[in-house]
Amino acid sequence: MVYLLRNSTEKYMNVIVIGAGISGLIAAYELERSGINPILLEASDRVGGRVATDDVDGFLLDRGFQVLLTAYPEARRYLDFEVLKLKKFYPGALILKPGSSYTISDPLRNPSEILGMAFSPVGSFMDKLKIYKLTKSLQKKEIDEIFNSPNISTIQFLKDYGFSEKIITNFFKPFFKGIFLENELKTSARMFQFVFKMFGEGFAAVPENGMKAIPEYLKSKLKHTELKLNAPVTKIEGHQVFLENGEVLHGDKIIIAGKSDHLLPQLKGQIQPYRSVYNLYFSLEKSFLIRPMIGLIPDNKFLINNIVFMTDISKAYSKNGKALLSVSVIKPIQNTEKLENLVAIELEAISGIKAEYFKPIKTYEIKEALPDVEDMKADLPFTNTKIYDHIFLAGDYLLNGSINAAMTSGRKAVEALLLTTQDPR
Ligand SMILES: Cc1cc2nc3c(=O)[nH]c(=O)nc-3n(C[C@H](O)[C@H](O)[C@H](O)COP(=O)(O)OP(=O)(O)OC[C@H]3O[C@@H](n4cnc5c(N)ncnc54)[C@H](O)[C@@H]3O)c2cc1C
């Protein structure tokens, strides 16, 4: 990052950041670091955008199951894991089938388990060796190299790598469906390799008190930003930013941090569609999983794709001692009326615990969860974020749907703003 504006007259220019999701919070932080005091406008009543946690009946409910990967380079740059009190998932996954369950562990971290895995019916011994080989080879690859590799689908990559149908069905499909939020694994193998590398080099984790601690931490780092909540922007005309409440602000420079096609009609149709997910929460007397891990349901007949007892990961997710179960459904649903009942019946089939013991707390339908980015990237030339001389874009949709990408995009937008401001041409 270049700090061109410090001690220059430019430091007094008005910069408006629209959107206080992760990308907007990083943009505001980087602006502050360069000596600019931005105005940060957020439509809703809180910061964080798609990273949110609700407090419902004594439970902390993340709005959509999501995790922070501690190996994300941007997370290491901007977050303090100690302050967030990160709680780690046990690496690997539990494969759950009616009447049986199997563990897929991380062969690098738990080499002793590879032999046990060799005799599990989840995949062949060769599959497990290939997981080991893939983890090792991705450790050696730079992230840029991964994102410059051929843009084939994840499913094609797995087949080309020689994984068996069995391990693809039992492990890769449900695991990555839950991450990509799509059922075919058509997502670019670049993203697959990136995520696999991140899992291999760090941990999946959540802050002790829910995912919202991440944006709240980023907000706490802002000392000179004027944050306006409940301030939806309705349009931008030239340098004028119109707020729903009638206020009009002048921005010498404007960063739109988040989906921007509603503010720049010329971008209509250029921004990708979004992938959606249903996230259901249930309470239960206690967890039925043997470890604090993600549970995968590989059987395609089930609505449920993956489950996690959030209270196995962080006890603070429940204030009443009951276990909190998060269930993700990726399949499109025609009629959601009986969704909780249908899911509870499936939970009974998996766990042997009667459906009526699973008490529904809340169901979220998250329509715009992840941008469906075709050409996934890890980084972008900072000039690509500049759309006009005074308007810059940030947001995960420019790169790939992840907290890491949202952070990169916020930083890149500020780099572009600073460099193009200094250039007299
Ligand atoms: C269910 C789900 C699961 C996920 N799982 C993971 C995961 O496991 N790991 C991971 O790394 N990532 C995950 N993600 C993705 C990650 O949350 C996003 O990539 C990231 O939060 C996007 O941040 P952003 O700033 O780009 O956009 P957003 O979070 O969408 O922020 C945009 C902000 O702009 C505001 N805004 C929009 N229009 C206006 C306007 N006109 N005026 C003022 N404000 C406006 C919005 O209110 C919002 O606050 C998941 C996301 C979801 C929803």
Side-chain angles (χ1 to χ4, degrees):
M1 171 60 70
V2 204
Y3 305 107
L4 297 170
L5 300 184
R6 192 171 289 288
N7 299 327
S8 84
T9 50
E10 299 282 10
K11 76 194 259 189
Y12 298 109
M13 82 177 157
N14 288 327
V15 180
I16 295 176
V17 180
I18 302 172
I22 300 294
S23 63
L25 289 163
I26 294 296
Y29 176 70
E30 288 295 355
L31 287 164
E32 281 196 11
R33 296 218 311 153
S34 67
I36 295 172
N37 302 343
I39 296 175
L40 178 55
L41 302 174
E42 168 53 43
S44 73
D45 59 357
R46 47 156 203 100
V47 298
R50 273 171 280 154
V51 181
T53 307
D54 295 320
D55 201 329
V56 180
D57 301 337
F59 295 102
L60 295 178
L61 311 183
D62 291 331
R63 262 185 236 169
F65 169 59
Q66 56 181 311
V67 296
L68 180 74
L69 299 180
T70 59
Y72 279 160
E74 301 286 6
R76 291 184 169 178
R77 184 195 290 256
Y78 290 113
L79 300 176
D80 184 331
F81 296 167
E82 297 270 302
V83 173
L84 292 173
K85 296 194 192 130
L86 288 189
K87 301 286 177 188
K88 295 172 187 162
F89 287 67
Y90 193 88
L94 289 166
I95 315 296
L96 304 172
K97 300 188 174 190
S100 56
S101 76
Y102 310 94
T103 307
I104 285 263
S105 60
D106 177 336
L108 290 187
R109 263 179 285 218
N110 306 314
S112 62
E113 292 194 20
I114 196 164
L115 206 64
M117 283 162 61
F119 300 106
S120 92
V122 171
S124 68
F125 185 60
M126 284 310 288
D127 285 326
K128 282 122 201 184
L129 287 182
K130 283 192 174 122
I131 291 183
Y132 182 84
K133 193 177 137 213
L134 179 60
T135 315
K136 271 283 201 212
S137 79
L138 288 174
Q139 272 186 347
K140 289 191 205 120
K141 273 196 188 170
E142 295 294 329
I143 292 172
D144 276 352
E145 196 184 341
I146 288 175
F147 278 92
N148 283 321
S149 65
N151 197 13
I152 57 168
S153 67
T154 296
I155 190 75
Q156 194 57 50
F157 177 91
L158 293 170
K159 286 181 180 164
D160 291 352
Y161 209 85
F163 285 111
S164 72
E165 252 332 292
K166 212 161 146 193
I167 193 100
I168 291 177
T169 307
N170 283 320
F171 171 62
F172 285 112
K173 270 206 172 162
F175 194 77
F176 283 91
K177 272 158 73 173
I179 293 172
F180 299 155
L181 306 184
E182 53 97 0
N183 286 299
E184 313 301 329
L185 299 200
K186 63 182 167 90
T187 300
S188 171
R190 294 172 181 169
M191 194 62 184
F192 165 76
Q193 293 173 81
F194 170 66
V195 173
F196 206 81
K197 178 178 169 70
M198 294 295 102
F199 270 102
E201 292 176 8
F203 288 89
V206 291
E208 181 177 46
N209 289 308
M211 287 297 284
K212 78 166 179 201
I214 295 173
E216 279 175 358
Y217 171 76
L218 293 174
K219 179 181 151 194
S220 76
K221 296 215 301 180
L222 300 178
K223 305 294 177 207
H224 307 289
T225 296
E226 188 187 341
L227 171 64
K228 287 178 184 250
L229 297 173
N230 302 305
V233 172
T234 51
K235 64 175 174 175
I236 301 171
E237 274 178 15
H239 287 269
Q240 288 187 311
V241 173
F242 293 77
L243 272 64
E244 201 177 72
N245 65 5
E247 222 180 311
V248 182
L249 303 173
H250 173 91
D252 296 321
K253 305 279 172 183
I254 299 162
I255 295 176
I256 310 177
K259 227 175 87 187
S260 46
D261 51 345
H262 61 304
L263 294 174
L264 298 171
Q266 59 273 42
L267 291 181
K268 272 232 148 46
Q270 285 182 38
I271 291 189
Q272 319 83 347
Y274 276 73
R275 295 174 183 169
S276 60
V277 63
Y278 292 92
N279 183 206
L280 297 86
Y281 283 100
F282 295 88
S283 70
L284 192 69
E285 281 309 313
K286 59 185 181 59
S287 165
F288 59 78
L289 297 183
I290 50 165
R291 281 179 182 156
M293 290 177 104
I294 297 176
L296 305 174
I297 291 80
D299 189 335
N300 235 342
K301 289 195 288 298
F302 280 67
L303 288 168
I304 306 176
N305 184 70
N306 54 283
I307 64 170
V308 177
F309 277 95
M310 295 310 296
T311 35
D312 285 352
I313 316 297
S314 167
K315 293 212 176 342
Y317 270 69
S318 163
K319 292 191 185 80
N320 54 31
K322 294 224 162 98
L324 174 67
L325 177 62
S326 169
V327 176
S328 299
V329 173
I330 323 288
K331 280 184 180 170
I333 312 283
Q334 302 301 338
N335 181 0
T336 55
E337 224 173 82
K338 298 208 171 92
L339 187 58
E340 283 93 353
N341 294 346
L342 294 173
V343 164
I345 291 166
E346 291 189 354
L347 289 169
E348 174 175 339
I350 296 160
S351 66
I353 299 167
K354 284 205 170 312
E356 68 225 45
Y357 289 117
F358 293 90
K359 302 285 178 216
I361 304 168
K362 191 172 167 116
T363 295
Y364 294 93
E365 180 187 3
I366 301 159
K367 288 198 172 125
E368 296 198 337
L370 291 181
D372 195 350
V373 184
E374 217 167 89
D375 184 18
M376 291 203 173
K377 301 184 200 87
D379 208 344
L380 74 172
F382 62 84
T383 41
N384 279 24
T385 70
K386 181 176 167 214
I387 184 142
Y388 294 113
D389 277 348
H390 67 296
I391 301 187
F392 300 82
L393 302 179
D396 64 344
Y397 71 94
L398 296 171
L399 297 165
N400 62 71
S402 68
I403 291 169
N404 190 68
M407 289 176 163
T408 308
S409 72
R411 181 163 54 80
K412 286 289 168 169
V414 176
E415 276 183 31
L417 184 151
L418 296 179
L419 283 166
T420 53
T421 299
Q422 197 222 19
D423 190 341
R425 280 164 297 164

